[in-house]
Amino acid sequence: MSTPKSDLARDIAAQFDVPLPLVSLAPWGTGHINDTFLLIAADGARFILQRLNPTVFLQGALVMENIERVTTHLQKKYRARGLDPRRHVLEQVPTHAGAFWCQDAGGAVWRVYHAVADAHPVIAAPTPQLAYHAARAFGEFISLLADLPAPPLHETIPHFHDTPARLAQLQQAVAADTARRVAHVAPELAFVAQRHADVHSLADLVKAGRLPLRVTHNDTKLDNILFDDHTGDARCVIDLDTVMPGLALHDFGDCVRATARIGAEDEPDPRNVGLNLEVFAQLVRGFRDGAGAQLAAAECALLAQAAKVITLEQGMRFLTDHLKGDTYFKIHRPGHNLERARAQFALVAALERHAGALAAIVQSV
Ligand code: GN1
Ligand code: MG
């Protein structure tokens, strides 16, 4: 079916070096921010066309500059290992003018990637083995980018995983109460208020110079990895929009939030949300194996705390968006962001209940 969005996408696709005519152009993936389409050309070649959300990424050009530097560096690394970079790293398709992106009339940035051959994202609940491979891939991503030449990458979204800043944004949303929803979220606000020490725990260590900034991915959800169709190995890390200076602990923590959680990110009944300890153990093992010597003792000691901080932060982000009237994350039903927030807080509670077991796992793995 042709919609105004898909008609625009078709016009934009024609500006890139994509063989025409297209036999198919259809929405693709599960992202909450950008618009993504799968393009299939007459010869069967597949491409991913994306529109960056301009209200989230205010400086799309800087996002694209980061991505070019990061992918070029990763490609070199895989080539040096004798591997075909196209199987492991996103490869951009240029426009006819030779640029890696273009803008539509409204100023939004569009780009095209070659689809990675014989690889797929995993959407379902992962097995411990798959979790191991996912965490190893995200750990290795950090280790491969540790020697990215200066200057530092642009901060594409300032204060992205600055948890105290996220708390401040929540407090501002409460004070403004634009959507008149504050009265309904007293239990959630109380839950956050009891955890101010957690909000500050990692940020204080960064301030004190006790946790290093590295080049990190910052959105380490399971569906941001492509797995090989045949071997099942994690092959390519995708969604590079938020690759920038950050904490390895945030990448590990977000992996736990997304992968060791029982129940969906937007599970409507928080009682169904839990924590899979076996998966957690494999995430620790995988992330350490992947990041290798990169991880410092101070980081290893905080793995479980990082899972709690990032899950609390994500809950605060969803709650803030609910209070502001759902302007940031795409929603698919009324109250969706509140359900997401509650599910994150249920996971925080599960992480707290299992704190002893998590500490023992981190020690023993
Ligand atoms: C957003 O769009 P997507 O699904 O890749 C968000 C992440 C959140 C995630 C929650 C730029 O990622 O930070 O963790 O939703 N991306 C941005 O599922 O805010
Ligand atoms: Mg993302």
Side-chain angles (χ1 to χ4, degrees), residues 30-34 56-57 157 160 218-219 221 224 239 242 254 257 265 314 317-318 328-329:
T30 53
H32 298 336
I33 306 287
N34 297 332
V56 169
F57 296 102
I157 301 180
F160 189 59
N218 294 305
D219 188 8
K221 295 200 287 195
N224 281 336
D239 190 354
T242 51
D254 210 27
R257 180 188 74 81
E265 182 182 72
Q314 187 66 60
R317 292 176 63 196
F318 285 140
Y328 187 96
F329 297 103

